[in-house]
Amino acid sequence: MVYALPPCIILSTDNHFDEKTDIGDGCYHVEGKTICSDSAVILRAEGTLPSYSDENAGLFITADRTRNYDFSSDTVKADTLALIMVNDEENSFRILRTRPLKTDR
């Protein structure tokens, strides 16, 4: 099964959903090598990250941390905030809420 989200900032808790979120111009440069965080495989992103991001912030690739992937370097623009609920037992997630983000404000 494949899941797709538009480029967005993903939250797994409701703590920050209604807060102002500073993302600068919303553009993130990513290198092609993935890394494993505590819960997922990500591409580390360079750009203005929200203040509540952890040190392993990046573009989500998969929750399957047993594989490694290579991508080309690129720039991605995120303009949406998504609140998700993760179901670890079924290795799935559900989008609970989304909202647009305004860049450079």
Side-chain angles (χ1 to χ4, degrees):
M1 204 174 264
V2 175
Y3 298 95
L5 282 172
C8 63
I9 295 172
I10 298 173
L11 299 176
S12 60
T13 63
D14 202 11
N15 296 348
H16 303 287
F17 189 82
D18 293 319
E19 290 180 7
K20 179 180 177 183
T21 303
D22 182 15
I23 61 167
D25 64 1
C27 291
Y28 298 94
H29 179 74
V30 294
E31 294 298 325
K33 190 73 174 158
T34 58
I35 61 169
C36 284
S37 72
D38 292 339
S39 59
V41 174
I42 63 167
L43 285 170
R44 189 173 302 276
E46 296 174 9
T48 304
L49 295 168
S51 61
Y52 47 79
S53 298
D54 67 20
E55 70 255 11
N56 289 320
L59 297 180
F60 173 84
I61 302 300
T62 180
D64 180 4
R65 293 180 295 147
T66 62
R67 299 189 55 196
N68 205 359
Y69 301 88
D70 288 319
F71 293 86
S72 59
S73 297
D74 206 347
T75 300
V76 177
K77 184 167 181 145
D79 59 3
T80 305
L81 190 67
L83 179 65
I84 66 169
M85 181 176 67
V86 178
N87 184 335
D88 289 327
E89 293 174 4
E90 296 180 12
N91 195 22
S92 65
F93 67 89
R94 184 172 64 166
I95 300 169
L96 301 176
R97 297 168 68 186
T98 62
R99 73 173 171 94
L101 296 171
K102 295 178 180 156
T103 57
D104 287 334
R105 287 199 156 187

